[in-house]
Amino acid sequence: MNDIARVTVLGAGVLGAQIAYQAAYSGFDVTVYDIGDEALSAGRKRLDALVTAYRVEVEGATEASTQAALERLATTTDLAQAAGNADLIIEAVPERLDIKRETYEKLAALAPEHTIFATNSSTLLPSDMKDFTGRPDRFLALHFANQIWKFNTAEVMGTAETSPAVFDTVVEFARAIGMVPIPVLKERPGYVLNSLLVPFLNAALDLAAGGYAQPEDVDNVWRIATGAPMGPFQIYDVVGLGTAYNILSSGDEHSRRLAAWLKEHYIDRGRMGAGAGGGFYDDPQG
């Protein structure tokens, strides 16, 4: 990857931390940015936890290789420092268009002209954001699945203005960090993965919010009947209930009702998902 050597990840949340660590584990110099010390401290804990996860779950991972990845990672709350010499900036900030707009408008003035911007947005189209970037030809979506060291797809989706050379460079970058690149040939909300996953998760939430079945019973029937390793509410806990709430809040009237139910019964009670005090299930490490 001669075109990309220095990578910046904006957002040290669940996926942001994973993207950063995977890139560092693959030999790239990585800077992780978040808006404040508290968010960055939580991100560092996620990065430290990934060292252990890789040693247990990634074939060939050693104490030396996982520690070396950590040493290739820098963290900062200074956006100018994070963007100043990046070849690729991967944005993984909360799933709200206003936050993304503010972020890209700042980045446009801070990043070098050659820098490629990529959004990890799960639901927003890159064309929703391209005009904020100041470089629509060097902007596209690069979407990862959660637990990327195991579920290693990377969906690449541009706009009509994305340079084909930039698209190909990002495809090669995804391959260079151990992902299976999935080119999405034209824009579609949800890309491939979430076009399948989000309706499934929403259907499960509708069952629980409507009082038809308890979350654990929905998960149980799905696992038993299909042989899947996880049920939808277990997936919600891994993804994080805050992410689900942000997506639902931006949807239609029914989606907003589901968001309100999720907030009242879980989020307002401090249940944000696995590793954050529990979500639909108790978290022994919360």
Side-chain angles (χ1 to χ4, degrees):
M1 284 297 303
N2 295 326
D3 296 301
I4 297 174
R6 295 174 298 276
V7 179
T8 290
V9 178
L10 305 183
V14 172
L15 261 173
Q18 292 179 22
I19 296 164
Y21 189 80
Q22 179 69 23
Y25 184 76
S26 303
F28 291 86
D29 293 325
V30 181
T31 298
V32 181
Y33 163 85
D34 218 315
I35 57 172
D37 292 335
E38 184 177 350
L40 208 54
S41 176
R44 290 191 189 100
K45 290 178 181 178
R46 293 185 184 99
L47 293 168
D48 289 340
L50 288 169
V51 172
T52 302
Y54 274 55
R55 289 176 188 173
V56 173
E57 299 180 25
V58 175
E59 184 177 355
T62 64
E63 182 175 352
S65 65
T66 53
Q67 189 60 36
L70 204 57
E71 292 169 0
R72 281 190 286 270
L73 283 159
T75 59
T76 184
T77 58
D78 185 333
L79 187 59
Q81 179 183 340
N85 67 350
D87 300 312
L88 171 66
I89 297 177
I90 302 172
E91 168 267 305
V93 305
E95 197 76 340
R96 283 175 42 189
L97 187 59
D98 59 331
I99 295 176
K100 292 182 187 292
R101 176 174 189 158
E102 181 181 0
T103 300
Y104 282 117
E105 287 177 344
K106 290 178 180 177
L107 278 179
L110 295 172
E113 289 185 7
H114 77 275
T115 306
I116 296 170
F117 293 170
T119 179
N120 183 56
S121 174
S122 299
T123 57
L124 296 169
L125 293 174
S127 60
D128 294 335
M129 296 170 271
K130 66 180 177 63
D131 293 336
F132 312 150
T133 67
R135 59 191 76 198
D137 60 322
R138 303 186 70 76
F139 172 69
L140 74 176
L142 176 61
H143 180 251
F144 297 85
N146 193 39
Q147 295 185 314
I148 69 176
W149 65 95
K150 293 193 293 186
F151 307 117
N152 54 345
T153 60
E155 297 171 290
V156 184
M157 182 169 73
T159 74
E161 295 182 53
T162 303
S163 160
V166 166
F167 189 96
D168 291 344
T169 294
V170 173
V171 166
E172 288 307 310
F173 168 77
R175 188 173 287 116
I177 63 169
M179 300 294 103
V180 177
I182 308 296
V184 183
L185 304 181
K186 58 183 181 179
E187 285 187 285
R188 176 186 170 90
Y191 312 74
V192 176
L193 176 60
N194 282 318
S195 291
L196 300 169
L197 180 61
V198 170
F200 166 65
L201 295 179
N202 287 352
L205 195 61
D206 196 46
L207 289 170
Y212 299 102
Q214 292 296 318
E216 58 268 26
D217 292 324
V218 175
D219 281 355
N220 208 24
V221 72
W222 182 257
R223 291 194 307 268
I224 292 170
T226 68
M230 299 176 70
F233 291 101
Q234 290 173 295
I235 295 172
Y236 269 124
D237 275 5
V238 171
V239 171
L241 273 59
T243 298
Y245 175 78
N246 287 336
I247 294 171
L248 289 164
S249 296
S250 301
D252 60 16
E253 183 179 350
H254 181 66
S255 294
R256 293 194 297 273
R257 285 199 299 269
L258 292 178
W261 181 87
L262 187 63
K263 184 175 185 295
E264 177 185 354
H265 292 276
Y266 292 90
I267 293 174
D268 285 350
R269 300 178 184 182
R271 301 185 68 87
M272 298 296 293
F280 290 100
Y281 293 90
D282 290 335
D283 180 6
Q285 298 178 348

